[in-house]
Amino acid sequence: GQQLNQSPQSMFIQEGEDVSMNCTSSSIFNTWLWYKQDPGEGPVLLIALYKAGELTSNGRLTAQFGITRKDSFLNISASIPSDVGIYFCAGPLNTGKLIFGQGTTLQVKP
Amino acid sequence: DVKVTQSSRYLVKRTGEKVFLECVQDMDHENMFWYRQDPGLGLRLIYFSYDVKMKEKGDIPEGYSVSREKKERFSLILESASTNQTSMYLCAGAPGLGTYEQYFGPGTRLTVT
């Protein structure tokens, strides 16, 4: 079946550093979604991408919809301690269902 | 802001009990979903619904049922709770109509002893 592969699985960085993570698929997607999950909470939608090549920002977060439509990237600039959490990518299968990546766990050292 | 609420943040139940997890959304969303989340297994879809009184099985429906009597409310039912149903349960709503964004509730951490 379809899978979304997120990389890296985890990151431990210093406060102030920039962060990059990506999500790849063997299938083409028409939409890419990025979520963040704080410990003990539900995922929160960060960014939605609808068009190949699209670059969208939300504060210090920037996400890109890959040209091949098989990948997407999320960057966080100047990380802060509250960026800690799990970041998930997701893409639609059909009839409204989503497939999720396994997540990238981010830890930030003050 | 979209608001999805879940009836309990933490729940402890005994094996064999019938368990109801309630989810309410306030954005008139067509679609609603129930997931469970376990370490190393990610988010797994249990059931979803496109409309009132409609339901579809997700990837792991065994041991669960759902009810959607009103558009804003989607209930997950564990008919006879077992220890392997100890998990984080997440409800989500989505507008449907060609959009795919799902909006999650805060989750219910269920422990079955």
Side-chain angles (χ1 to χ4, degrees):
Chain A
Q2 285 179 293
Q3 279 188 316
L4 294 184
N5 298 307
Q6 280 190 252
S7 179
Q9 281 191 322
S10 62
M11 306 179 75
F12 191 90
I13 62 167
Q14 197 78 31
E15 181 177 0
E17 288 183 3
D18 296 343
V19 172
S20 291
M21 60 188 79
N22 66 69
C23 188
T24 60
S25 169
S26 57
S27 305
I28 288 171
F29 284 101
N30 293 317
T31 299
W32 284 96
L33 306 173
W34 284 94
Y35 288 86
K36 183 199 176 196
Q37 186 175 27
D38 289 332
E41 301 290 333
V44 173
L45 182 64
L46 297 173
I47 292 177
L49 301 161
Y50 305 102
K51 193 174 172 183
E54 180 183 355
L55 193 71
T56 297
S57 293
N58 178 4
R60 293 177 297 104
L61 277 62
T62 302
Q64 184 163 21
F65 194 140
I67 286 289
T68 66
R69 293 163 61 194
K70 292 184 177 181
D71 54 11
S72 181
F73 308 89
L74 178 70
N75 296 313
I76 306 172
S77 62
S79 58
I80 59 178
S82 62
D83 290 334
V84 163
I86 305 175
Y87 292 80
F88 292 99
C89 61
L93 290 174
N94 50 42
T95 59
K97 292 193 289 184
L98 290 178
I99 181 172
F100 290 87
Q102 291 298 308
T104 292
T105 300
L106 178 64
Q107 293 178 289
V108 180
K109 186 176 179 184
Chain B
D1 270 357
V2 176
K3 189 102 171 142
V4 178
T5 56
Q6 295 184 228
S7 50
S8 305
R9 294 300 304 273
Y10 301 94
L11 210 51
V12 180
K13 294 292 182 181
R14 293 190 183 276
T15 300
E17 278 193 80
K18 190 168 186 175
V19 181
F20 293 87
L21 302 182
E22 306 285 343
C23 175
V24 177
Q25 51 96 359
D26 68 354
M27 287 302 293
D28 202 35
H29 283 178
E30 299 292 325
N31 303 341
M32 296 187 76
F33 304 81
W34 274 107
Y35 296 88
R36 65 177 282 178
Q37 185 179 27
D38 302 286
L41 297 176
L43 284 155
R44 293 183 291 168
L45 182 63
I46 304 171
Y47 267 97
F48 59 105
S49 169
Y50 293 133
D51 201 351
V52 175
K53 296 195 187 295
M54 293 188 70
K55 59 185 178 184
E56 298 282 344
K57 291 180 180 179
D59 300 318
I60 52 162
E62 296 78 20
Y64 304 94
S65 62
V66 290
S67 172
R68 195 169 180 196
E69 295 296 318
K70 293 185 178 181
K71 191 174 187 179
E72 67 271 19
R73 187 178 297 270
F74 192 35
S75 303
L76 180 70
I77 303 153
L78 286 66
E79 294 290 342
S80 177
S82 63
T83 54
N84 63 13
Q85 292 179 309
T86 291
S87 187
M88 173 70 141
Y89 289 88
L90 293 161
C91 175
L97 305 173
T99 64
Y100 299 103
E101 296 90 337
Q102 292 183 15
Y103 299 90
F104 286 85
T108 296
R109 173 73 64 184
L110 172 67
T111 301
V112 183
T113 61

